[in-house]
Amino acid sequence: MEQKIHQGRNVKRFREMLGIKQEALAFDLGEEWNQKKISLLEQKDIIEDDLLKAISNALKIPVEAFQNFDEEQAINIISNTFHDTQGLINYSPTFNNSPIDKLIQLHEEKIALYERMLKEKDEMMDRLEKLINK
C-alpha cells in the first residue's frame, strides 16, 4: 500500500517551522492571496506545480521537500535508528557561543597585535639609530 504525501500539510509544517504566518506567505505570493486562501491551500492533498514552485521560492525550501516529505516515514526512520535515547540526548546542552567570550577573545587578539607592532617599532627604531650613528 503506497503512502500518499499531503503537500498542503507539508507546506503548513515547513511554514510553521520557519515561523512564518499565513498572512506573510500570502503577501509573498501576491495580491490575490490572503490568509483564508493559504488556509484552504494547506488542506489540499496535491498542489499545482507552478503554485508549489511559487511557495518554494517564498519559503526558500526546495519543491521536492513539499512533494516527498512524509512525517510517518521520518518518525519510523528515527525510531528504528535510535534505540537508547538516554545516551543520545543531552537535556542540558552547553553552548560556547557567548558574545562576551568572543569579545574578550577579540580584545586579547588586539592586545597581542599591538604588542607585536610595538616590538617591531622598537626594532625599527634601533636599526635607524644604528644607521644614523654610523
Side-chain angles (χ1 to χ4, degrees):
M1 179 171 123
E2 187 175 317
Q3 189 77 356
K4 286 188 89 173
I5 308 279
H6 195 288
Q7 293 178 354
R9 197 174 301 130
N10 286 343
V11 168
K12 180 178 180 178
R13 277 192 196 101
F14 287 112
R15 177 186 58 75
E16 288 175 343
M17 280 190 269
L18 294 170
I20 296 173
K21 297 208 174 275
Q22 288 178 333
E23 295 87 357
L25 179 57
F27 180 80
D28 287 343
L29 292 178
E31 290 182 17
E32 69 276 1
W33 286 90
N34 58 37
Q35 180 272 325
K36 184 173 175 74
K37 209 169 169 184
I38 296 293
S39 180
L40 292 172
L41 170 86
E42 290 176 348
Q43 295 173 23
K44 293 174 78 174
D45 285 340
I46 306 259
I47 299 173
E48 301 80 33
D49 287 341
D50 58 335
L51 180 54
L52 207 54
K53 185 161 178 51
I55 294 167
S56 169
N57 289 335
L59 297 179
K60 304 205 178 4
I61 291 178
V63 174
E64 294 79 18
F66 302 115
Q67 294 171 331
N68 300 326
F69 181 76
D70 180 20
E71 186 175 24
E72 284 184 36
Q73 189 176 17
I75 290 171
N76 284 339
I77 290 170
I78 292 168
S79 65
N80 290 334
T81 305
F82 302 111
H83 299 289
D84 178 22
T85 57
Q86 196 71 11
L88 294 175
I89 300 173
N90 182 0
Y91 290 99
S92 57
T94 55
F95 299 101
N96 295 329
N97 297 344
S98 169
I100 294 173
D101 291 341
K102 186 68 175 168
L103 191 62
I104 290 170
Q105 178 188 357
L106 289 172
H107 181 69
E108 289 171 351
E109 289 174 6
K110 185 172 83 172
I111 289 173
L113 175 63
Y114 283 143
E115 288 174 351
R116 282 195 312 269
M117 289 172 63
L118 283 172
K119 183 179 176 186
E120 288 177 16
K121 181 195 74 110
D122 290 341
E123 290 171 357
M124 185 176 285
M125 292 300 287
D126 288 340
R127 280 183 272 167
L128 284 173
E129 285 178 8
K130 288 178 184 175
L131 283 173
I132 293 173
N133 292 334
K134 280 190 177 183

